[in-house]
Amino acid sequence: MIAAVLVNSFVVVLTVIVHYEFLFRLTQLLPKMKVRHRFRIVLGVCGALTAHALEVWIFAFAYYFLNGVGGWGQLQGSFDGSLADCVYFSFTTFTTLGFGDIQPVGTLRYLTGIEALTGLVLITWTASFLFVEMQRFWNRK
């Protein structure tokens, strides 16, 4: 169980660092861009979506590797063990959509739960970031 907590913590910390760095870099980059102010918001959204996609892939790699290691549990259901299925499962978990066609069994359930919570927090953080950026640039000409 300690190994699960350590692995889960590592994956969460890594995704939070990635998210922080993306938003920090966007905060620095957007004001310096020589484009229309409204286009900056579009670039901010694209940057945030890129960050979220990368974070989903980090969790997907964790599922992919842990699924093949004994003692961590596995993903079952409409799952063929491919990285593509792990990415799909990660997207549905990160967004808390959860179609239910792939289910975690064993210790992987803890990573699934923490991914849903992490996704919720990071998506909310992105919404707050974009709101602040919109206030900053929206009314400028």
Side-chain angles (χ1 to χ4, degrees):
M1 185 57 130
I2 291 175
V5 170
L6 292 174
V7 168
N8 292 350
S9 297
F10 173 75
V11 173
V12 169
V13 167
L14 182 60
T15 57
V16 169
I17 289 170
V18 165
H19 201 76
Y20 172 83
E21 287 299 322
F22 262 82
L23 295 184
F24 180 73
R25 305 274 181 219
L26 283 171
T27 301
Q28 291 180 324
L29 178 68
L30 290 176
K32 296 176 184 176
M33 297 184 75
K34 304 286 188 219
V35 296
R36 297 185 69 192
H37 298 292
R38 292 182 183 198
F39 190 62
R40 291 178 185 168
I41 301 304
V42 173
L43 293 174
V45 170
C46 291
L49 288 173
T50 302
H52 286 297
L54 180 59
E55 294 150 12
V56 164
W57 274 85
I58 291 170
F59 276 100
F61 279 117
Y63 291 125
Y64 184 73
F65 290 115
L66 294 177
N67 187 62
V69 177
W72 285 92
Q74 57 188 354
L75 297 174
Q76 295 180 339
S78 182
F79 178 72
D80 64 8
S82 69
L83 181 58
D85 273 358
C86 290
V87 172
Y88 164 77
F89 177 71
S90 183
F91 264 110
T92 61
T93 303
F94 189 87
T95 59
T96 67
L97 186 58
F99 286 115
D101 53 342
I102 300 174
Q103 302 86 27
V105 178
T107 307
L108 276 181
R109 292 179 300 166
Y110 299 111
L111 183 59
T112 302
I114 198 70
E115 181 182 11
L117 182 60
T118 303
L120 179 66
V121 169
L122 296 183
I123 290 168
T124 305
W125 187 3
T126 297
S128 299
F129 167 78
L130 292 173
F131 176 76
V132 169
E133 291 302 311
M134 285 176 68
Q135 283 186 320
R136 214 160 119 190
F137 299 119
W138 201 258
N139 291 324
R140 290 188 185 176
K141 294 186 180 190

